[in-house]
Amino acid sequence: MQIEAIILREVRMELRAPFETSFGVTRERRVPLIEVRADGVSGWGEITAPEGPFYNYETIDTAWHIVRDFIAPLLLGRKLGSACEVPAVLAAIRGHQMAKAGVENALWDVEAQQKGLPLAKLLGGTYEEIVCGVSLGLQATTEALLSKIDTELKAGYQRIKIKIKPGKDLELVRAVREKFPQVKLMVDANSAYRLADVEHLKKLDDYYLMMIEQPLPWDDMHEHARLQAQLQTPICLDESIHHARHALAAIESRACQIINVKLGRVGGHTEARRVEEVCRARSIPVWCGGMLESGVGRAHNIAMSTLAGFVLPGDVSASQRYWEEDIIEPEVEVTPAGTIRVPTAPGLGYAVRRQRVEQLTVRQETWRAQ
Ligand code: OSB
Ligand code: MG
């Protein structure tokens, strides 16, 4: 494939409900969408960098800068045999995985369309349906949280993840367990605790949680290993894992027992497959995390979740949980059994609604091969 043009758009999409984590509240998403044209085919990717540098260091604007000044010049006009060659081309750029992932994933969409294959198949995925859970933000009251959980379970979702932070943890978990003793339940702290909180965190062991996600600092694996040695509840790493070597280090140092894979955080499908491979070879379960994606990012998440190592329900759920109207057709829907049927059409398997994208676009830049 010869890369002819890269188009970067920022679309604004209002969430149906604010999403609160230990690092802040998101009401509206500014979504950077990548369209790559190669051999006359358009492929789509989403840059999952958030509005501010609070989840990782990337933001929408750092990603814009990295795509414009470094990624586009390296890729434009270049001929690639496959999208899996992109990481090698971009290797000189340190970090900025989310910016790289948006562009690389768009090329995977191009390649899948050219080969007439659904993206999931091109990636080597095998599942025809993926299992889904939901991630619930911090709520104003415990009653509000319990009622949301009730709604999601009635919709079929197979596991519930709740956000916690100091002062909003044990009572929440206790209340959820009391009302829903059987539900597959996990908590995500988004790095809100310190190793000194170990005695407090040990109390979570009474509630048979599936896992606690990223309790300690985003860049500290050693302390997670120290914590895991004292906790019965499995630790799952999210923020700390940026590539397959991190996954290996985390497993070998026993910093976690489960890994959350996010395409943006690890730099795209090629590296996500490596993470999955490292984990599967060592019997470490993985699941697909979410970054409040639009339909484009969601479609990529669905394709990735079909790899064999994705054995736990992911944070990939229906478009309607996030948006009044998504930018893809059909929207992502979840079956009453809490699964998503993997599309079988070539490429992403969902069509990007260009008109809708245009209506929502607030800025756009195009770079062309000379
Ligand atoms: O830690 O998994 C996280 C959203 C934004 C940033 C970080 C996280 C999340 C979520 C939401 O948990 C997952 C989703 O529903 O997309
Ligand atoms: Mg997380």
Side-chain angles (χ1 to χ4, degrees), residues 192-208:
Y193 298 89
R194 295 297 169 261
L195 188 54
D197 298 319
V198 56
E199 288 310 317
H200 181 69
L201 291 171
K202 275 160 94 168
K203 297 184 185 134
L204 288 171
D205 283 344
D206 294 341
Y207 300 97
Y208 45 102

Side-chain angles (χ1 to χ4, degrees), residues 147-161:
S147 132
K148 285 230 156 175
I149 294 175
D150 194 51
T151 306
E152 304 296 6
L153 291 173
K154 284 184 176 139
Y157 288 103
Q158 299 194 11
R159 75 94 170 99
I160 301 290
K161 157 167 142 184

Side-chain angles (χ1 to χ4, degrees), residues 10 29-30 32 49-51 58-65 363:
E10 175 181 330
R29 290 288 347 270
R30 298 169 51 202
E51 288 69 19
E58 290 189 81
T59 70
I60 286 142
D61 297 294
T62 65
W64 204 285
H65 159 57
R363 65 171 161 156

Side-chain angles (χ1 to χ4, degrees), residues 55 161 163 188 190 213-214 238-239 260 262:
Y55 165 80
K161 157 167 142 184
K163 296 286 184 178
D188 186 357
N190 287 112
E213 187 176 340
Q214 197 72 37
D238 172 357
E239 281 91 325
N260 160 335
K262 287 184 182 168

